[in-house]
Amino acid sequence: LLFHTSFAPDLVDLYAVQLGITVKGELDAQRLRQAVQAVVNRHPNLVARFHEEFGEPVQVLPADPEMAWRFVELDSADGDVDEQVERLCADERAAVCDLAGKPTFRAALIRTAGDQYRFVLTIHHIVVDGWSLPVLLQETFASYYGQRLPAASSYRSFVTWLADQDRGAAQATWREVLSGFDTPTLVGAPGAPGPRAVASFQLPAETTQALSELARNCHTTVSTVLQGAWAQLLMWLTGQHDVAFGTAVSGRPSELIGSESIVGLMINTLPVRANSTARTTVADLLEQLQRGHNDTLEYEYLALPDIHRATGHDQLFDTLFVYENYPIDADALLGAHDLTITDFDSREFNHYPLSVVARSRHH
């Protein structure tokens, strides 16, 4: 992430994660600021600075962690309010990408009208992952309402756990999984990335139902079924029968106590390989994907550059498949209090030319 941020300075908001929440009610700006600061005090790694002048990159945690805070009251006399909000959000994203000079975590509260607010949290992905965001929000609002929070799970415990893992065994496993894989699966044109675009689609309930049934019949998960579909699409796009793509894993080890409530960067991007012949059925493909998952489950901590080195490739893939099922429950955030959340959105861009994110909607 450090490399990509310095490598593509023209993509000003690459890997800036931004959450926008529309809140209605009598919001106390000062109290909200204190609540966010209380959360940063619990997780000082959220405002780490990154320095490269020590021979290798180091992460510096300040003794008095402080995030950047802005409170802005907009006036429709100054032009379209939505446009002003968008401009402000773009500024916040650009600011968190200055990893050496500015805080990696910024909060902005924008008053858009009477009792209407837009609460925007902007964090560089290098200090946070998607799984952490609901934890962060829940702690912020609990703190705003004066609830006592249990002791925080420390990011240090994860870093210590990571340093203790068997890298040799992990490298050997990944070498085996990718043995005989010759040609990287690349769909993007070489050179600088083009303009970005996002398209969203909702699948009908019947399709979701059919996917779940297929997963059940093949003793696997919906995530694996969707990976199988992505693998087939890549085979069709590239004309290759042995393909690889990246997938994001939470990187939260079950043996690390409290890992589900740690706020920080634990996610990892790993290769998924799918190899098919004229005789491979869908069931065969899903079984192969499930087997690959089971074989590498214990070694999901090995960083992608280390996997590249272990397998002798500079690059294995340039597409990413992500399956997300950590919905943020807006009602649970505020409990039965005087504020209501009317709208919620998040955005983030990675450096891959093509990504697909599948989200499960929980009703």
Side-chain angles (χ1 to χ4, degrees):
L1 287 172
L2 191 61
F3 167 78
H4 285 297
T5 299
S6 52
F7 182 68
D10 47 334
L11 291 174
V12 289
D13 60 355
L14 190 65
Y15 286 111
V17 179
Q18 192 163 59
L19 281 180
I21 306 165
T22 303
V23 185
K24 200 171 162 34
E26 291 297 317
L27 188 65
D28 182 332
Q30 196 46 39
R31 215 167 90 202
L32 186 62
R33 177 183 186 159
Q34 286 163 354
V36 178
Q37 184 61 55
V39 171
V40 169
N41 294 346
R42 289 167 61 79
H43 310 286
N45 53 299
L46 282 172
V47 290
R49 298 290 169 91
F50 294 80
H51 294 277
E52 302 196 58
E53 62 264 30
F54 300 105
E56 62 172 338
V58 295
Q59 193 170 157
V60 179
L61 271 63
D64 299 312
E66 204 172 328
M67 45 94 198
W69 171 268
R70 288 172 81 177
F71 177 49
V72 184
E73 301 194 69
L74 297 182
D75 187 341
S76 53
D78 297 332
D80 182 20
V81 167
D82 287 344
E83 260 173 46
Q84 293 181 64
V85 169
E86 198 33 66
R87 254 199 321 275
L88 219 138
C89 288
D91 289 348
E92 292 288 285
R93 291 195 301 272
V96 296
C97 289
D98 178 357
L99 294 181
K102 293 196 174 129
T104 34
F105 181 13
R106 307 177 67 85
L109 181 62
I110 307 164
R111 188 178 189 166
T112 51
D115 64 352
Q116 291 262 21
Y117 295 86
R118 192 90 177 126
F119 179 40
V120 180
L121 293 178
T122 312
I123 318 171
H124 195 284
H125 199 354
I126 203 166
V127 293
V128 83
D129 58 25
W131 185 294
S132 305
L133 298 176
V135 182
L136 200 65
L137 283 176
Q138 188 270 321
E139 289 191 359
T140 298
F141 283 106
S143 185
Y144 178 84
Y145 285 115
Q147 293 162 15
R148 291 226 20 213
L149 292 169
S153 301
S154 83
Y155 188 62
R156 179 191 293 264
S157 66
F158 167 68
V159 176
T160 308
W161 174 87
L162 193 56
D164 287 343
Q165 297 313 299
D166 184 344
R167 294 167 61 85
Q171 285 162 339
T173 298
W174 283 106
R175 207 174 285 127
E176 201 175 312
V177 167
L178 290 155
S179 108
F181 182 80
D182 297 324
T183 314
T185 309
L186 306 176
V187 302
R196 296 186 297 212
V198 179
S200 300
F201 307 94
Q202 281 201 342
L203 293 181
E206 304 81 78
T207 308
T208 307
Q209 189 75 38
L211 287 171
S212 302
E213 275 171 32
L214 176 58
R216 232 189 344 267
N217 293 342
C218 293
H219 308 290
T220 189
T221 60
V222 170
S223 174
T224 303
V225 170
L226 293 171
Q227 286 187 8
W230 190 245
Q232 288 188 308
L233 177 69
L234 290 174
M235 290 173 191
W236 174 68
L237 279 174
T238 61
Q240 294 161 223
H241 294 290
D242 191 359
V243 296
F245 56 90
T247 191
V249 294
S250 79
R252 291 171 185 257
S254 51
E255 72 256 33
L256 182 59
I257 305 299
S259 72
E260 72 291 337
S261 57
I262 293 176
V263 171
L265 178 71
M266 299 169 76
I267 199 170
N268 196 10
T269 301
L270 297 172
V272 174
R273 179 187 187 182
N275 194 354
S276 83
T277 66
R279 289 188 303 281
T280 307
T281 64
V282 167
D284 294 339
L285 182 64
L286 296 182
E287 189 194 348
Q288 184 191 127
L289 289 168
Q290 186 61 51
R291 200 169 51 242
H293 172 72
N294 295 347
D295 291 349
T296 54
L297 189 58
E298 213 184 314
Y299 303 110
E300 288 187 340
Y301 54 78
L302 194 65
L304 188 56
D306 291 335
I307 294 175
H308 285 153
R309 274 193 287 276
T311 57
H313 284 278
D314 291 334
Q315 198 181 9
L316 292 160
F317 54 82
D318 69 354
T319 69
L320 192 62
F321 173 88
V322 182
Y323 183 74
E324 281 182 4
N325 56 357
Y326 44 84
I328 294 180
D329 183 347
D331 298 334
L333 283 177
L334 298 179
H337 291 289
D338 49 348
L339 298 174
T340 50
I341 289 179
T342 57
D343 183 38
F344 186 91
D345 61 69
S346 66
R347 57 165 286 159
E348 168 210 334
F349 285 105
N350 60 52
H351 69 280
Y352 293 104
L354 181 61
S355 301
V356 62
V357 179
R359 288 199 177 94
S360 52
R361 288 283 161 110
H362 296 262
H363 292 299

